[in-house]
Coordinates of all heavy atoms in Angstrom, one line a residue:
L780 N -2.0 6.3 15.0 CA -0.7 6.6 15.7 C -0.5 8.1 15.8 O -0.1 8.6 16.8 CB 0.5 5.9 15.1 CG 0.5 4.4 15.3 CD1 1.7 3.8 14.6 CD2 0.7 4.0 16.8
A781 N -0.8 8.7 14.6 CA -0.6 10.2 14.6 C -1.5 10.9 15.6 O -1.1 11.9 16.2 CB -0.8 10.7 13.2
R782 N -2.7 10.4 15.7 CA -3.7 11.1 16.5 C -3.4 10.8 18.0 O -3.6 11.6 18.9 CB -5.1 10.7 16.1 CG -5.5 11.2 14.7 CD -6.9 10.9 14.4 NE -7.8 11.5 15.3 CZ -9.1 11.4 15.2 NH1 -9.6 10.7 14.2 NH2 -9.9 12.0 16.0
L783 N -3.0 9.5 18.3 CA -2.9 9.1 19.7 C -1.5 9.4 20.3 O -1.3 9.4 21.5 CB -3.1 7.6 19.8 CG -4.5 7.1 19.7 CD1 -4.6 5.6 19.4 CD2 -5.3 7.4 21.0
G784 N -0.5 9.6 19.3 CA 0.9 9.7 19.8 C 1.2 11.1 20.4 O 2.2 11.2 21.2
G785 N 0.4 12.1 20.1 CA 0.6 13.4 20.7 C 1.9 14.0 20.3 O 2.5 13.6 19.3
E786 N 2.3 15.1 21.0 CA 3.5 15.8 20.6 C 4.7 15.0 20.8 O 5.7 15.1 20.0 CB 3.6 17.1 21.5 CG 2.5 18.1 21.4 CD 2.5 18.8 20.0 OE1 3.6 18.7 19.4 OE2 1.5 19.4 19.7
R787 N 4.7 14.0 21.7 CA 5.9 13.2 22.0 C 6.2 12.3 20.7 O 7.4 12.2 20.4 CB 5.7 12.3 23.2 CG 7.0 11.5 23.6 CD 8.0 12.5 24.1 NE 7.6 13.2 25.3 CZ 7.7 12.8 26.6 NH1 8.3 11.6 26.8 NH2 7.3 13.5 27.6
A788 N 5.2 11.8 20.1 CA 5.4 10.9 19.0 C 6.0 11.7 17.8 O 6.9 11.3 17.1 CB 4.1 10.2 18.5
R789 N 5.4 12.9 17.6 CA 6.0 13.8 16.5 C 7.4 14.2 16.8 O 8.2 14.3 15.9 CB 5.0 15.0 16.3 CG 3.7 14.6 15.7 CD 2.9 15.8 15.4 NE 2.2 16.4 16.5 CZ 1.1 15.9 17.0 NH1 0.5 14.9 16.5 NH2 0.5 16.5 18.1
W790 N 7.7 14.5 18.1 CA 9.0 14.8 18.5 C 10.0 13.7 18.2 O 11.1 13.9 17.7 CB 9.0 15.2 19.9 CG 10.3 15.7 20.5 CD1 10.8 16.9 20.5 CD2 11.3 14.8 21.2 NE1 12.1 17.0 21.1 CE2 12.4 15.7 21.5 CE3 11.4 13.5 21.5 CZ2 13.5 15.2 22.2 CZ3 12.5 13.0 22.2 CH2 13.5 13.9 22.6
L791 N 9.6 12.5 18.6 CA 10.4 11.3 18.3 C 10.7 11.1 16.8 O 11.8 10.7 16.4 CB 9.8 10.0 18.9 CG 9.8 9.9 20.4 CD1 9.0 8.8 20.9 CD2 11.3 9.7 20.9
A792 N 9.6 11.3 16.0 CA 9.7 11.0 14.6 C 10.7 12.0 13.9 O 11.3 11.6 12.9 CB 8.3 11.2 13.9
R793 N 10.8 13.2 14.5 CA 11.8 14.1 13.9 C 13.2 13.7 14.2 O 14.2 14.2 13.6 CB 11.5 15.5 14.5 CG 10.3 16.2 13.8 CD 10.3 17.7 14.1 NE 9.9 18.0 15.5 CZ 8.6 18.1 15.9 NH1 7.6 17.9 15.0 NH2 8.3 18.3 17.1
H794 N 13.4 12.8 15.2 CA 14.8 12.4 15.5 C 15.1 11.0 15.0 O 16.2 10.4 15.3 CB 15.0 12.4 17.0 CG 15.0 13.8 17.6 ND1 13.8 14.5 17.9 CD2 16.0 14.7 17.8 CE1 14.1 15.7 18.3 NE2 15.4 15.9 18.3
N795 N 14.2 10.3 14.3 CA 14.5 9.0 13.7 C 13.9 8.9 12.3 O 12.6 8.9 12.2 CB 13.8 7.9 14.6 CG 14.2 6.5 14.2 OD1 14.7 6.3 13.1 ND2 13.9 5.5 15.0
P796 N 14.7 8.9 11.3 CA 14.2 8.9 9.9 C 13.3 7.7 9.7 O 12.4 7.8 8.8 CB 15.5 8.8 9.1 CG 16.6 9.3 10.0 CD 16.2 9.0 11.4
A797 N 13.4 6.6 10.4 CA 12.6 5.5 10.2 C 11.1 5.8 10.6 O 10.2 5.0 10.1 CB 13.1 4.3 11.0
W798 N 10.9 6.8 11.4 CA 9.5 7.1 11.8 C 9.0 8.4 11.1 O 8.0 8.9 11.5 CB 9.5 7.3 13.3 CG 9.9 6.1 14.1 CD1 9.8 4.8 13.7 CD2 10.5 6.1 15.4 NE1 10.3 3.9 14.7 CE2 10.7 4.7 15.8 CE3 10.8 7.0 16.4 CZ2 11.3 4.3 17.0 CZ3 11.4 6.6 17.6 CH2 11.6 5.3 17.9
A799 N 9.8 8.9 10.1 CA 9.4 10.1 9.5 C 8.0 10.0 8.8 O 7.4 11.0 8.5 CB 10.5 10.5 8.5
Y800 N 7.5 8.8 8.6 CA 6.2 8.6 7.9 C 5.1 9.3 8.7 O 4.1 9.7 8.2 CB 5.9 7.2 7.8 CG 5.7 6.4 9.1 CD1 4.5 6.5 9.8 CD2 6.7 5.7 9.7 CE1 4.3 5.9 11.0 CE2 6.6 5.1 10.9 CZ 5.4 5.2 11.6 OH 5.2 4.6 12.8

Side-chain angles (χ1 to χ4, degrees):
L780 287 175
R782 295 183 63 179
L783 286 163
E786 297 291 345
R787 185 70 60 92
R789 290 188 280 279
W790 182 85
L791 286 170
R793 284 194 285 275
H794 291 85
N795 185 348
W798 299 334
Y800 66 80

